[in-house]
Amino acid sequence: MKKEYKTFNFDLLTKDKNIKIVSCKDSLKDVTPINWSKDVLEGKKTVTVVNLEK
């Protein structure tokens, strides 16, 4: 017995959504790298990241 599969309708993913395709360069233009200390990079110290906005 041969199984038949329906094709996936990609319109379901984008329906009623405002989608704008941007380049990697544009998407990362406002990103600022974190200047970790040498101790953090070497694993001697740890960093705890918390969300201050609640």
Side-chain angles (χ1 to χ4, degrees), residues 2-46:
K2 186 176 183 180
K3 290 184 180 181
E4 292 186 28
Y5 296 98
K6 291 184 179 180
T7 59
F8 185 77
N9 184 357
F10 283 99
D11 292 334
L12 295 173
L13 293 176
T14 59
K15 185 179 179 183
D16 300 327
K17 293 187 175 139
N18 186 9
I19 295 175
K20 181 181 176 186
I21 298 172
V22 295
S23 68
C24 290
K25 183 178 180 180
D26 287 342
S27 65
L28 297 173
K29 69 181 179 183
D30 296 325
V31 174
T32 304
I34 298 174
N35 294 319
W36 300 109
S37 69
K38 184 177 178 183
D39 289 338
V40 171
L41 293 174
E42 293 176 351
K44 295 176 183 174
K45 288 186 178 179
T46 60

